[in-house]
Amino acid sequence: MDWIIFGLVVTWLGIVSWFDIRKSEIPHSAWVVIPLIGAGLYRIWQGDWTLVLLAAVVAAVSERDRISQAFGWEELSRIITWLPLLFLGAFLSIQYSPISALAIIGFWAAWEMKWWGGADAVSAIIVCLIWPGMFFIISFLVIHLIVVIASGLVSMVREQKIKLHRLPGLPILLASVLILKVGFIFRG
């Protein structure tokens, strides 16, 4: 079963990475919404509904403007309205999976602060739901550190100075998943 999940995730990330590299966006939100639902169902099936609750609350808060328009209630567009639900979701999920809960909040915060695109954040949350725990976070951090160092060295060689680059996040996430699986192979 693990290899099937891994194959599906790598295939999906490969496709959305291709879109991210070519056009810096995915063609439709269904490319992340459907996998988010699937990852949520998988996590519930694995017995951890609290991370799914947190991911659902984070997704709702991200769509607060649309929800506000749909219900015709201006107050729903303010993030402060959603804070009690965010705290509840965080409180419940941190008890069972603290690293993954903090990562989900961090991925969402990166999108809210415009450091990441929405597809990048949702995709990272999806992977976090599928493989919660320290190993994904470590592979995620290692790949990002490698990319930052490599891109810094490239800019130092080409432009004689170090500068920050905007790189497509989905291919980096794909590399994180590949490194994660390599880590699982060596671990077990």
Side-chain angles (χ1 to χ4, degrees), residues 2-176:
D2 286 343
W3 284 100
I4 294 170
I5 299 293
F6 175 73
L8 289 171
V9 170
V10 167
T11 302
W12 162 68
L13 279 174
I15 293 168
V16 293
S17 292
W18 182 76
F19 288 126
D20 198 17
I21 290 168
R22 285 195 65 204
K23 298 189 179 194
S24 296
E25 65 182 3
I26 58 172
H28 195 275
S29 61
W31 280 97
V32 291
V33 171
I34 293 169
L36 180 62
I37 293 167
L41 293 173
Y42 176 74
R43 180 63 20 224
I44 290 170
W45 182 52
Q46 295 295 313
D48 187 5
W49 61 270
T50 59
L51 280 178
V52 178
L53 172 66
L54 179 61
V57 169
V58 162
V61 175
S62 297
E63 296 298 322
R64 63 189 175 275
D65 289 332
R66 288 184 189 167
I67 292 171
S68 172
Q69 289 174 358
F71 286 100
W73 190 15
E74 178 70 27
E75 187 63 30
L76 291 176
S77 67
R78 295 183 182 92
I79 201 163
I80 196 151
T81 305
W82 295 90
L83 283 180
L85 279 176
L86 275 171
F87 283 126
L88 177 64
F91 175 76
L92 292 173
S93 60
I94 283 175
Q95 294 181 35
Y96 295 101
S97 188
I99 298 294
S100 299
L102 292 173
I104 288 171
I105 292 167
F107 298 146
W108 167 71
W111 179 61
E112 285 290 329
M113 291 188 269
K114 307 289 188 229
W115 295 345
W116 275 13
D120 299 336
V122 174
S123 297
I125 290 170
I126 290 166
V127 174
C128 203
L129 286 173
I130 294 171
W131 293 294
M134 191 61 126
F135 289 106
F136 166 63
I137 302 305
I138 289 172
S139 68
F140 181 83
L141 293 173
V142 165
I143 286 298
H144 277 76
L145 182 62
I146 290 169
V147 168
V148 165
I149 290 170
S151 63
L153 289 173
V154 166
S155 67
M156 196 167 80
V157 168
R158 287 185 182 169
E159 302 171 24
Q160 307 301 322
K161 65 180 177 179
I162 296 177
K163 72 179 209 181
L164 295 175
H165 298 270
R166 287 191 63 84
L167 300 168
L170 293 171
I172 298 170
L173 186 60
L174 174 60
S176 299

